Amino acid sequence: MPTDAATAMSQARENYRYLAVAQDKAHLLTLKNGASGYNQSLKRAGIINEEQLALLTDELESVCTTWHALRS
């Protein structure tokens, strides 16, 4: 696990690229939950703060919204 916020956030964002391979909504949800759990673990470990977690969460939601838009 990374020890600084910048590296942690970069790695969290790398997880988002896996959402593009979701085969359906259920698969997307599974991948989203995994990425969200990783982000939460960074916060619990004290590597990122609440504001940074909120930013990552917003970015994750945006990626999921894009996935849905591309498949509608």
Side-chain angles (χ1 to χ4, degrees):
M1 186 172 277
T3 58
D4 65 281
T7 301
M9 292 181 72
S10 176
Q11 289 181 352
R13 289 177 178 119
E14 281 294 312
N15 290 333
Y16 300 170
R17 67 188 168 107
Y18 296 108
L19 279 72
V21 302
Q23 299 167 356
D24 54 33
K25 290 179 183 180
H27 190 205
L28 177 67
L29 183 59
T30 299
L31 295 171
K32 178 183 176 186
N33 287 340
S36 180
Y38 179 77
N39 297 349
Q40 289 287 332
S41 70
L42 294 174
K43 169 69 172 78
R44 280 188 219 113
I47 298 170
I48 63 172
N49 61 35
E50 192 66 40
E51 187 176 305
Q52 291 164 321
L53 176 59
L55 178 61
L56 288 173
T57 300
D58 289 345
E59 292 171 0
L60 179 57
E61 289 299 327
S62 178
V63 170
C64 290
T65 298
T66 299
W67 185 94
H68 284 286
L70 291 173
R71 283 152 184 85
S72 295

